[in-house]
Each structure stands twice: as structure tokens, then as C-alpha cells.
Amino acid sequence: NEFTMKAMILAAGFGKRLLPLTEVTPKPLLMIGKKTLIERNIEYLLNNGFSEIVINVSHLSEQIIEHVNEKFPDIKINFSVENKPLGTGGGIQNAIPVIGSDPFLCVNADIFHEIKINDLSFDVEAAHLIGVPNPEHNKEGDFSINNGAVVVNEIKNMLTWSGISVINPKIFSDIQSRENSFNMWDAVLPKYIKKGIVTGHLSEDLWIDVGTKDRLKLANSVYNDQN
């Protein structure tokens, strides 16, 4: 198989809801047990056969780059540095010259999880989203799935986006380069969801979005219970 497994980790956000922690430590470097979130997510990719990894960085980027290079000196990891955070959409668009034109796995740096991806197909027309059961902090959900296709109901949806997806970079081809930040969910995916070509599935594996101090505590207590 000539296909190189490529992945991108989104690690450029400010982590505003975690202030004052994130004033000095970028969110991807917060610890779960004895490892940082980003270290766990890189190990997860390596364990699943990904050989090329791109990480976008902005807020406190030097710390992230230094940490990653120190922990993974022998792995091919490229950094896409943003002068100011460009959002999930802008961050991916900006990194496409580094990632190339093949579909790739995209993972948020700030999730603590054990989502299984070993049987994911990379033959996606637009994108494939992994959803999780709606957590307390997102009871309304983000999307639902109808016959394998992602749909967004106006009122309530069954699933919350896990922050893990397979993305075909061609969905960015008709987006004009923008100076301002934009995100995937509002600015890129809706058109393809309407066409019915964004697919998805539900994972009930362990997943915590470490977006607040409470959820950072939760992730650490889950980790400690497991070990």
C-alpha cells in the first residue's frame, strides 16, 4: 500500500476557559497523569500506524515545539506555525501545503480518549466525523447520523463531535484564503453536509474534552482509576 498514513493535530488554540493555567502553559501541554495531552495524542497516532504528523501551533508555540521534539526525536513531525490562531478551518487550510492532497486524520490536541481508529477508511469524498454520546457540557449535541451520513437537526442532535475526523483536503479548494480565523464546523463542513457527503459514526470509547479545569480534573481522575 503506497498510502502514507498522515495526521494533523490541532494545537493552536488559546485555551481561554482554562485561564490562568494556560497563560503560562499551552493547553496541549497540560498533564494527564505523567504525560501531556499532546504526547498522549502523538503516541495514539504512532500506535495506529501514522508515520507523518503535522501539528499547527500558535499560542506559546515554542513550548509545544520544544516538548514534542524532546519526546519524539526520531519521528517525522512538521509544525505549521500561525502568527495568530487561525481557527480549526484556517489552521488546516494553512497547513495543506505541508499535508498534501490525500485525506488525513485530524485530531484535536485537547482530548483525552481511547477512540478506536484502526478500521477507519481514508477513502472519503469530503469528511468522516467520529461522534460521541453527548456529554453534560453539550447536551444539545452537534450532529446526528442518518444511514451513515451526517445530518444536523435544528433542535437537538444525538452526537457530539469528538474532535477526530478524516478530512479530504479538497473541501478547502474553493475557500478563498482569509486573513481571519474560521472554523471547520461553521465555515467549511455545512455545504458538504447539505450535499449528504459527510459521513460519520458513533464511538462509545473513553473520551473527555479537556476544555475546562473541571474536565482536566475529571480526565486525571479517570486516568488514575484506570492505572
Side-chain angles (χ1 to χ4, degrees), residues 171 174-175 186-198:
I171 64 176
D174 59 351
I175 289 183
D186 303 328
V188 188
L189 290 174
K191 175 175 137 180
Y192 296 95
I193 289 173
K194 284 194 188 82
K195 286 184 179 171
I197 57 172
V198 175

Side-chain angles (χ1 to χ4, degrees), residues 4-16:
T4 307
M5 303 268 282
K6 290 184 182 178
M8 177 166 184
I9 299 177
L10 301 177
F14 280 118
K16 287 195 178 85

